[in-house]
Amino acid sequence: MNDAPRPGDPGRNAYLVEGNAKQARKRAAADALVRDGDGRLLLVNPTYKDGWDLPGGMAEANEPPDAALRRELREELDLDITSLRFLCVDWVEPHGPWDDYLGFVFDAGVLSPEKAAKLKPYDEEISEHGFFDVTEALRLLPDRQRVRAQQALQVLDDGIPRYLRNGVPC
């Protein structure tokens, strides 16, 4: 017999809180495709890992991925983006010491020449940034990020958002 409190019973909320605490948690990251007027992609060079990366980062507890991306862009590049368009989400299997996570990619649009020229790292986590033509940008990205970026770029072309598993469309 199930002795769980029913809706409206005393203790129901505490019972649900306890159950929620036992549920698995997913990490989430959100990255952006940011382009300049020549169609080049913005990449950042993080100080805490090897190689270039798309701008963005990890979501904090209970933070929506789009809000996390806006926060990261502000903190790292002093870049305020008002409009984001969802491109893809990638479920990434556990790897190394890391659990699985969901990696979102959003289109953050094209920066005006003035805004692109004023960009600079505002956070110690970023050593440098640059705009690179797409071929070069993809070459500079780590494998995991590269396949996700390629899929996100394809969405820019065909308009069909994607759900990926380890970078592969499902």
Side-chain angles (χ1 to χ4, degrees):
M1 177 170 184
N2 186 354
D3 55 354
R6 299 182 48 77
D9 287 353
R12 171 76 173 172
N13 196 51
Y15 171 79
L16 295 175
V17 167
E18 181 182 339
N20 182 61
K22 295 176 183 176
Q23 296 293 315
R25 299 285 187 251
K26 293 277 187 224
R27 293 180 310 129
D31 295 323
L33 295 186
V34 179
R35 296 166 317 283
D36 68 5
D38 295 324
R40 298 177 302 168
L41 283 177
L42 174 64
L43 299 183
V44 295
N45 195 349
T47 58
Y48 56 90
K49 62 182 177 180
D50 292 333
W52 290 84
D53 211 346
L54 291 173
M58 298 302 293
E60 295 176 355
N62 300 313
E63 183 180 37
D66 59 321
L69 179 57
R70 285 186 179 98
R71 177 184 49 75
E72 290 283 351
L73 292 173
R74 256 190 325 277
E75 290 173 0
E76 294 177 352
L77 297 166
D78 195 34
L79 183 59
D80 283 313
I81 299 293
T82 56
S83 178
L84 293 173
R85 180 172 64 114
F86 172 76
L87 300 174
C88 63
V89 63
D90 187 13
W91 176 81
V92 179
E93 68 187 1
H95 54 286
W98 304 107
D99 291 334
D100 68 332
Y101 74 95
L102 297 170
F104 291 80
V105 182
F106 293 90
D107 176 14
V110 177
L111 298 183
S112 70
E114 298 79 27
K115 208 175 230 187
K118 289 182 183 178
L119 269 186
K120 66 178 182 176
Y122 273 80
D123 186 289
E124 62 198 29
E125 290 184 357
I126 304 298
S127 64
E128 60 184 320
H129 75 286
F131 286 93
F132 300 89
D133 68 54
V134 171
T135 302
E136 178 69 4
L138 292 173
R139 189 188 68 72
L140 291 169
L141 291 172
D143 292 341
R144 249 184 246 296
Q145 188 74 291
R146 179 182 313 112
V147 295
R148 189 176 312 131
Q150 287 170 321
Q151 292 295 322
L153 287 163
Q154 187 63 43
V155 177
L156 288 180
D157 288 339
D158 65 23
I160 303 169
R162 289 177 172 60
Y163 168 66
L164 314 170
R165 284 190 194 166
N166 296 307
V168 178
C170 296

